[in-house]
Amino acid sequence: MRFRCSLCQQHYPLHTREWRCSRCQSPFELDQSFAFKRSKIDKRVTTLWRYRAMLPELKEKNIVSLGEGWTPLVEAVIEGRRILCKLDYFSPTGSFKDRGTTVLVSFLKELGIETVVEDSSGNAAASLASYCARAGIKTKIFAPADASPAKLAQIKIFGAELCPIEGPREKSAKAAQAVAKEFYYASHVYNPIWLEGIKTYAYELWEQLDGKAPDAMVAPAGHGSLVRGAYKGFAELQSAGLIKRIPRLYAVQAEIVAPLYKAWTKKLDQLQDYWRHNLVDLLPGQTFSTIAEGIAVSRPPHWAKILHFIRDTGGSVVTVSDKEILRARNAMAHQGLFIEPSSAAAIAGLSKLKDQIKPRDLVVVLLTGSGLKSSTILS
Ligand SMILES: [Zn+2]
């Protein structure tokens, strides 16, 4: 198995310290996919490691697990519609990122990495800090200075070195990338091993729905890893002949930071040379403020792939305002589910999808982060 540039196809060994293609700066992907086999699920294991046979090969002693995955699937009713919610905030650090982190940190342990650097709006960094503490790996985190205080505190409690960066989320990324020659860049955005963990939520849904896939999946999207992970996981199930089609994938963005939505409405992904377009012109010189800080990403590197997956499945991209997000957050709280605003964005998106989701569709919404992480609890 090797990394491969998603654009020019150049190969790199798994132990490379490059974090994206040195020739064309495009993100890596894995050069191999995994054959899903029902008989290979280890049903004694109640974490995502039950799918170990469908994950990159790792020695048992290097697996760093804190009990992540196999999260509950519960019903909720939004504007009269019954939906199923995948409670991925039932994760060791309170967010779905633990799925990717457990696989990535296990991989880093296998490589013998001693210090890592990462940037994040909060959840990915808190997750990495936790798993690295467990693995005995030193962690240096660059995060926006105005990230949720609860998330910043969470990063620190695990003993990570926290470097707050003023300005938009992208500045934290640049700061981390500037020291990526010195330390391993354990990026949840760029490292394809991380995505292997995320795809397991598709496997879980298939098991929890008695061997079915939902008709539609709705997820918040910043870097779009849930869309990419869902597509990968369901595509593997489809290749194994276990589902007929990949669910329609719907991505929900915050109105004020919506590059995927803008690219979608301009059909940029359908241009012949779409992958050469960057998203710089879509959001010129803005500073952003949204309560959905977890998805406030102005230039997601995988944007073209994300839109391709959404189009391929018959889904779409919609946006929601902060007011709509808070209303959705409260509607969920009134049903006993306390989620952070970035998660509530997906719930708010449902009302924008009324003409695209049919009444009989089986709809699953991914609830990504706990409300306890939010700094807008009383809004
Ligand atoms: Zn390349």
Side-chain angles (χ1 to χ4, degrees):
M1 192 194 304
R2 286 180 297 172
F3 290 157
R4 176 177 62 198
C5 171
S6 58
L7 179 56
C8 77
Q9 310 290 306
Q10 166 92 357
H11 277 87
Y12 294 79
L14 286 182
H15 61 262
T16 180
R17 291 301 181 97
E18 302 287 347
W19 50 273
R20 62 178 176 184
C21 180
S22 53
R23 288 209 311 209
C24 74
Q25 279 76 57
S26 297
F28 291 146
E29 56 192 15
L30 279 186
D31 71 345
Q32 145 185 351
S33 61
F34 295 85
F36 187 95
K37 275 201 183 132
R38 193 196 298 257
S39 60
K40 289 203 169 165
I41 301 171
D42 187 345
K43 296 204 167 168
R44 296 163 306 173
V45 179
T46 53
T47 70
L48 60 78
W49 290 99
R50 68 202 270 110
Y51 308 115
R52 191 171 160 193
M54 280 71 83
L55 292 170
E57 205 178 324
L58 294 160
K59 292 189 190 85
E60 179 75 32
K61 64 171 187 177
N62 291 328
I63 289 179
V64 185
S65 174
L66 293 165
E68 57 294 311
W70 204 241
T71 55
L73 189 62
V74 305
E75 200 177 301
V77 177
I78 293 294
E79 295 178 1
R81 166 183 275 286
R82 176 186 170 269
I83 56 167
L84 290 174
C85 300
K86 180 80 170 143
L87 306 193
D88 251 29
Y89 63 92
F90 276 48
S91 295
T93 71
S95 92
F96 80 102
K97 310 271 181 174
D98 293 341
R99 284 185 188 276
T101 308
T102 184
V103 182
L104 179 59
V105 172
S106 303
F107 170 72
L108 299 179
K109 207 173 162 196
E110 184 118 336
L111 290 184
I113 302 294
E114 289 173 355
T115 310
V116 297
V117 62
E118 160 75 312
D119 56 275
S120 150
S121 67
N123 280 340
S127 178
L128 185 71
S130 157
Y131 281 79
C132 282
R134 183 78 168 192
I137 296 173
K138 287 198 197 93
T139 317
K140 191 178 175 75
I141 301 291
F142 293 89
D146 64 351
S148 150
K151 290 179 187 172
L152 296 177
Q154 199 186 5
I155 293 166
K156 282 200 266 189
I157 195 91
F158 294 121
E161 183 190 343
L162 177 63
C163 312
I165 302 290
E166 297 292 337
R169 167 75 178 79
E170 281 63 33
K171 284 205 168 173
S172 299
K174 287 227 160 69
Q177 289 157 11
V179 295
K181 287 257 182 291
E182 245 174 291
F183 312 108
Y184 189 98
Y185 185 29
S187 171
H188 67 290
V189 178
Y190 285 97
N191 198 309
I193 300 289
W194 192 81
L195 194 70
E196 291 302 310
I198 300 300
K199 76 177 181 187
T200 58
Y201 85 82
Y203 296 168
E204 284 179 24
L205 280 171
W206 172 79
E207 273 201 84
Q208 289 171 320
L209 295 170
D210 284 332
K212 271 194 310 190
D215 298 303
M217 289 273 332
V218 184
H223 282 297
S225 48
L226 288 171
V227 169
R228 293 165 56 228
Y231 192 90
K232 192 164 214 283
F234 284 117
E236 287 173 7
L237 290 164
Q238 190 186 33
S239 300
L242 295 168
I243 57 169
K244 285 203 185 84
R245 55 186 295 279
I246 299 172
R248 301 197 304 280
L249 301 176
Y250 295 98
V252 185
Q253 296 215 281
E255 213 165 74
I256 196 160
V257 194
L260 294 171
Y261 175 75
K262 290 186 179 182
W264 175 258
T265 49
K266 287 173 189 275
K267 296 188 165 54
L268 289 192
D269 59 311
Q270 292 186 309
L271 299 178
Q272 202 178 7
D273 60 345
Y274 67 83
W275 35 263
R276 291 208 182 279
H277 282 262
N278 61 48
L279 296 176
V280 174
D281 297 338
L282 292 176
L283 297 165
Q286 291 178 27
T287 49
F288 311 115
S289 175
T290 167
I291 54 168
E293 57 183 16
I295 51 171
V297 176
S298 59
R299 291 176 203 170
H302 302 277
W303 71 273
K305 273 269 158 69
I306 297 163
L307 296 191
H308 166 72
F309 295 154
I310 291 170
R311 195 176 298 283
D312 188 50
T313 59
S316 69
V317 189
V318 294
T319 61
V320 290
S321 68
D322 276 10
K323 211 169 152 189
E324 290 164 331
I325 291 172
L326 275 183
R327 205 182 304 136
R329 194 272 313 264
N330 294 342
M332 292 299 275
H334 293 154
Q335 295 177 62
L337 299 167
F338 185 28
I339 53 177
E340 69 168 319
S342 303
S343 299
I347 298 292
L350 286 169
S351 56
K352 305 285 174 80
L353 292 166
K354 274 183 185 151
D355 54 345
Q356 298 182 54
I357 297 181
K358 294 170 227 122
R360 286 198 173 177
D361 280 348
L362 177 60
V363 182
V364 173
V365 182
L366 248 292
L367 300 184
T368 50
S370 163
L372 296 171
K373 285 166 164 273
S374 165
S375 51
T376 49
I377 287 177
L378 297 175
S379 304

